[in-house]
């Protein structure tokens, strides 16, 4: 069920806002669990670090999407 336009999600611009929201949400969750991780069981630290790692991963995906989009804009303006 595709529109057969041949475009990707990077071209459509859906990845950038969604990845930003995911990164923000997981960073917020990591911040909310930090107090419990620092004062509780050492296993709770893994949860906080995991949420932080997911936030960083989402930011990297967003940066790659922005770079791909800006790289495509430069190629189109040069023609």
């Amino acid at each position: 069920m595709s529109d057969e336009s041949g475009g990707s999600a990077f071209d459509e611009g859906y990845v950038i806002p969604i990845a930003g929201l995911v990164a923000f949400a997981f960073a917020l969750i990591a911040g909310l669990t930090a107090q419990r991780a620092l004062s509780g069981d050492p296993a709770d630290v893994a949860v906080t670090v995991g949420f932080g790692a997911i936030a960083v991963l989402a930011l990297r995906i967003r940066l790659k999407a922005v770079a791909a989009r800006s790289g495509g804009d430069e190629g189109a303006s040069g023609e």
Side-chain angles (χ1 to χ4, degrees):
M1 296 202 159
S2 68
D3 60 357
E4 298 190 21
S5 63
S8 68
F10 288 104
D11 294 338
E12 299 296 323
Y14 297 120
V15 172
I16 296 169
I18 291 172
L21 289 173
V22 168
F24 176 73
F26 277 101
L28 182 66
I29 294 169
L32 291 173
T33 59
Q35 182 181 5
R36 188 176 74 180
L38 294 175
S39 64
D41 190 27
D44 292 336
V45 174
V47 173
T48 302
V49 170
F51 285 141
I54 293 171
V56 169
L57 180 65
L59 280 175
R60 289 185 56 124
I61 290 171
R62 183 180 185 278
L63 289 174
K64 285 183 181 182
V66 168
R69 189 170 191 179
S70 66
D73 290 345
E74 291 172 4
S77 65
E79 294 178 355

